[in-house]
Amino acid sequence: MDRAASSDESLNVLARQVSEHAEALVEVWSEAARAADPRLSSLQLQALLITHRCPGINLTGMAERVGAAPPTVSRLCDRLEAAGLLMRHRATTNRREIGLTLTARGREMLDALSERRFRAIRGVLQHVPAAQREALVAGLRSFTDATGAVDATDMGR
């Protein structure tokens, strides 16, 4: 086996291991979201998180980010607005454009979710040896940094 094939195989093994072990982290992370009040779908939660990161985002921008059609996103925002989590407003730069922002209740809900996730992860980390905690953070930091180098269309291939 040549060096390139060996490198590809090593990367395949590593990717499989990361995928398998990441499931536990994703499960802890997701379990905290399932306890959210009000209970939100993953798409609703994603929309709130995007609005938090990009206050004033318009419906078209939201549709692109969540990968849904604008009418679907409009209905999604209707439900979030009815729940008191999201607010629509006319954009200052273009009167025809509708911007989205979180309400105080929406921010409180996301803060509570963040705190639940923090406590859940902390609870698991208590059972990880200290030296491995540092290695975990270093590995996750490297993974996060590398995601910036990957084109979104390449993720999932």
Side-chain angles (χ1 to χ4, degrees):
M1 185 180 326
D2 67 7
R3 182 175 284 191
S6 175
S7 177
D8 280 351
E9 184 56 31
S10 294
L11 193 56
N12 288 343
V13 169
L14 179 63
R16 180 82 49 218
Q17 290 172 338
V18 169
S19 180
E20 289 170 1
H21 294 297
E23 285 182 26
L25 177 60
V26 169
E27 182 56 33
V28 169
W29 187 261
S30 299
E31 183 61 33
R34 285 191 287 276
D37 183 29
R39 181 103 188 239
L40 302 173
S41 71
S42 59
L43 187 59
Q44 289 171 321
L45 180 56
Q46 184 181 11
L48 289 178
L49 291 168
I50 290 168
T51 304
H52 175 71
R53 286 190 302 270
C54 306
I57 190 169
N58 64 24
L59 288 171
T60 302
M62 179 66 75
E64 290 170 359
R65 295 220 175 165
V66 301
T72 301
V73 171
S74 183
R75 288 188 302 276
L76 169 74
C77 291
D78 288 342
R79 289 188 295 275
L80 292 171
E81 193 171 25
L85 302 172
L86 190 72
M87 181 173 48
R88 295 176 199 221
H89 55 84
R90 294 250 179 244
T92 55
T93 57
N94 180 345
R95 305 277 302 148
R96 294 182 307 169
E97 194 171 281
I98 301 295
L100 305 168
T101 55
L102 293 177
T103 62
R105 183 167 184 234
R107 285 188 300 279
E108 289 167 5
M109 199 271 328
L110 288 181
D111 289 346
L113 173 60
S114 180
E115 182 61 25
R116 270 193 309 283
R117 285 177 167 169
F118 164 79
R119 286 193 315 267
I121 289 171
R122 186 181 187 289
V124 173
L125 287 174
Q126 289 177 322
H127 302 285
V128 176
Q132 290 178 343
R133 293 176 193 166
E134 297 302 320
L136 174 62
V137 171
L140 288 172
R141 187 176 294 122
S142 294
F143 188 88
T144 299
D145 292 347
T147 60
V150 177
D151 184 338
T153 58
D154 290 338
M155 288 191 196
R157 279 189 189 168

